[in-house]
Amino acid sequence: MKIKALLISLLLIPFYQNLTAQVIVTTLPDSISYWEKINKVGLDISEIAFVNWSVGGNNSVSGLAKASFVRNYHKSLQNWDNELMLKYGLNSQEGQELRKTDDQIQLISTFGYRRDTVSNWYYSAKFSFNTQFSNGYSYPNTTEEISGPFAPAYIFLGVGSEYIRKDLGLNAYFSPLTDKTTLVLNRMLADKGAFGVDGAVYDEEGNLVRRGKMSRTELGILVTNNIKRQIFKNISLDHRITFYTDYINNFGNIDIDWQFQLDMTVNEYVKANIGAHLIYDDDIKATEERGGEVVQVGPKVQLKQMLGLGLSYIF
């Protein structure tokens, strides 16, 4: 009987080994992912209608579609943040054609490396790209665009140092060496010298001597600061500011791009938001209407204010 039991045990050894291996495999934890993925889409709608309204007014409907896609990689000494932001808004008002209210394509990617896990300072490289979906007009003139897709498009690429505090939602970046490329891939706008590119050259009789350039390259200093955190219950802050100055062309003349937004959560899907976008760029010339004609003047502060209520879905 002992020999028979021994033989049975020997025959069952492979089965036990296989069963043990299966148990080990199925109880292993999932592989660790160092990627953080956030997808957010939303639609804000505002509407106003009048019926026998004694003080008058025009019916109007506005819509703003927006999306944000975040892909961040965090692993001990490495940090790689990527964000794609898309916005497009339209307004329909009684007695007027459909008009654009917002238009943005922005991609930001920052890679950083630090010497140890204690320091909050990283050696970093930053890339950003900014343009728009469709032509922009100086309404009510809709026959001649004042901007368009890749007209302009701004590309920043540089190296520097970055300070990151994830517990505070704080990010500060300083680069003493950043290349800024401005693209104006619209022949008419390039010939006019829009957005700082060299315009077309004409002789005394008005004949074209040289076409305008469709790009411009600068080298300068870039400083950015981002704060993204919850400041009150159901209220979060998203603050982004950028300073840039060129070494060669008017050094010390600073371009500013500041975006500020408060997101207020009503419930899982309904959110309200209020924000502002301020831009000052010496290469962007403003226009004014004088004597029935639109003329170009010097640079001015550009300000856009937003207030919206709509649906938002995060996945």
Side-chain angles (χ1 to χ4, degrees), residues 129-132 146-154 182-186 189 194-195 284:
F129 172 81
N130 195 353
T131 189
Q132 60 194 57
I146 60 173
S147 65
F150 291 89
Y154 298 105
T182 303
L183 302 177
V184 183
L185 305 185
N186 179 302
L189 294 174
F195 306 104
I284 301 177

Side-chain angles (χ1 to χ4, degrees), residues 219-233:
L219 186 65
I221 299 172
L222 176 69
V223 178
T224 70
N225 172 244
N226 298 345
I227 300 175
K228 193 169 185 178
R229 58 178 299 183
Q230 185 169 327
I231 53 175
F232 299 108
K233 184 179 180 180

Side-chain angles (χ1 to χ4, degrees), residues 130 150-156 179-185 194-197 213-218 244 255 281 283-284:
N130 195 353
F150 291 89
Y154 298 105
I155 301 172
F156 289 89
D179 172 89
K180 176 185 177 182
T181 299
T182 303
L183 302 177
V184 183
L185 305 185
F195 306 104
V197 299
K213 293 185 177 180
M214 304 182 80
S215 66
R216 177 184 179 182
T217 301
E218 303 171 73
Y244 181 82
D255 298 336
D281 190 332
D283 297 322
I284 301 177

